[in-house]
Amino acid sequence: DAGITQSPRHKVTETGTPVTLRCHQTENHRYMYWYRQDPGHGLRLIHYSYGVKDTDKGEVSDGYSVSRSKTEDFLLTLESATSSQTSVYFCAMGHPEETQYFGPGTRLLVL
Amino acid sequence: GENVEQHPSTLSVQEGDSAVIKCTYSDSASNYFPWYKQELGKRPQLIIDIRSNVGEKKDQRIAVTLNKTAKHFSLHITETQPEDSAVYFCASHTGGGGSNYKLTFGKGTLLTVNP
């Protein structure tokens, strides 16, 4: 698999706590993405980045923030986790008109 | 913004049969249409893509067709095998620059190939 990893791979947390997921890539890609995957909804874009410190919202950005202080890392933060944010989170890298390489995913359970 | 509709949501075929998954998109400026396959418990991976200046593309048992007038594109899998069982996602990208650096995905099709 391409050089993209996610941490943690699994996390259980409680409602109201902050959570940060990390995506790390070693391919020097300019574009990075955060998606969530839920049954019946497919892959929905949360936020994306088109360069260091350049980010934009996706279709389901409410309750999430991101930061990209260096090319290789793209952080997703749930400021105050809710049960509706229980999901599988995938990050991805790659130009939108070329292959997007997905990370292995993070399973998040919010109790 | 762009909207991508994918049908059917589930598809069951016998081994050796063909499978067809269809997607429609809303933005006539869309110019890139990839298909991703996600096996159970795995990450999505690109299997084939097509650009707006091409009507059809083949790769062994997989083909994609694009009809720009009707704004739809389809994935065709021939001689299906059990290892083709997976969730398939279509997606589209709208060009134009600016900050439009994202794909819009369909909701996915669960393909089951029965031996």
Side-chain angles (χ1 to χ4, degrees):
Chain A
D1 291 314
I4 181 168
T5 57
Q6 293 182 231
S7 60
R9 294 292 313 280
H10 304 271
K11 186 169 182 65
V12 180
T13 192
E14 294 186 348
T15 298
T17 60
V19 176
T20 295
L21 307 182
R22 180 184 185 228
C23 182
H24 179 77
Q25 55 120 336
T26 58
E27 306 298 320
N28 202 36
H29 271 293
R30 176 182 174 188
Y31 304 94
M32 297 184 74
Y33 308 84
W34 276 107
Y35 298 93
R36 60 177 289 175
Q37 184 171 30
D38 306 286
H41 292 278
L43 292 162
R44 292 184 291 175
L45 183 65
I46 306 171
H47 282 279
Y48 63 103
S49 171
Y50 47 98
V52 173
K53 299 191 188 304
D54 290 323
T55 64
D56 204 352
K57 296 179 180 180
E59 61 182 303
V60 290
S61 60
D62 288 348
Y64 301 94
S65 62
V66 289
S67 66
R68 183 116 181 257
S69 60
K70 46 186 179 177
T71 299
E72 56 266 37
D73 288 326
F74 192 31
L75 303 180
L76 176 70
T77 297
L78 291 65
E79 302 291 346
S80 178
T82 68
S83 58
S84 65
Q85 293 176 311
T86 291
S87 187
V88 178
Y89 291 85
F90 285 100
C91 72
M93 63 180 181
H95 191 282
E97 293 184 18
E98 303 292 338
T99 305
Q100 285 205 357
Y101 298 95
F102 285 79
T106 294
R107 291 187 174 275
L108 177 66
L109 175 60
V110 183
L111 300 174
Chain B
E2 172 74 298
N3 183 50
V4 176
E5 299 282 341
Q6 183 171 347
H7 298 281
S9 57
T10 61
L11 179 60
S12 181
V13 300
Q14 290 299 122
E15 184 177 356
D17 287 350
S18 295
V20 180
I21 303 170
K22 298 181 181 180
C23 289
T24 60
Y25 60 97
S26 60
D27 193 334
S28 57
S30 293
N31 60 358
Y32 175 66
F33 308 92
W35 287 88
Y36 284 80
K37 175 183 180 182
Q38 185 181 28
E39 297 177 355
L40 186 63
K42 301 290 183 63
R43 68 191 81 185
Q45 293 189 305
L46 180 75
I47 55 171
I48 195 168
D49 57 11
I50 192 167
R51 302 183 190 275
S52 58
N53 59 347
V54 176
E56 183 176 4
K57 183 177 180 180
K58 290 183 179 180
D59 184 2
Q60 299 182 350
R61 297 186 296 108
I62 294 173
V64 58
T65 58
L66 171 64
N67 183 327
K68 288 189 296 183
T69 302
K71 290 190 285 187
H72 69 70
F73 56 111
S74 299
L75 178 70
H76 305 254
I77 306 174
T78 58
E79 301 174 14
T80 54
Q81 300 169 4
E83 53 264 38
D84 294 327
S85 296
V87 177
Y88 292 81
F89 294 99
C90 63
S92 74
H93 172 254
T94 302
S99 63
N100 188 23
Y101 303 116
K102 59 186 178 182
L103 287 175
T104 301
F105 282 87
K107 291 187 180 345
T109 297
L110 173 61
L111 173 64
T112 303
V113 180
N114 302 299

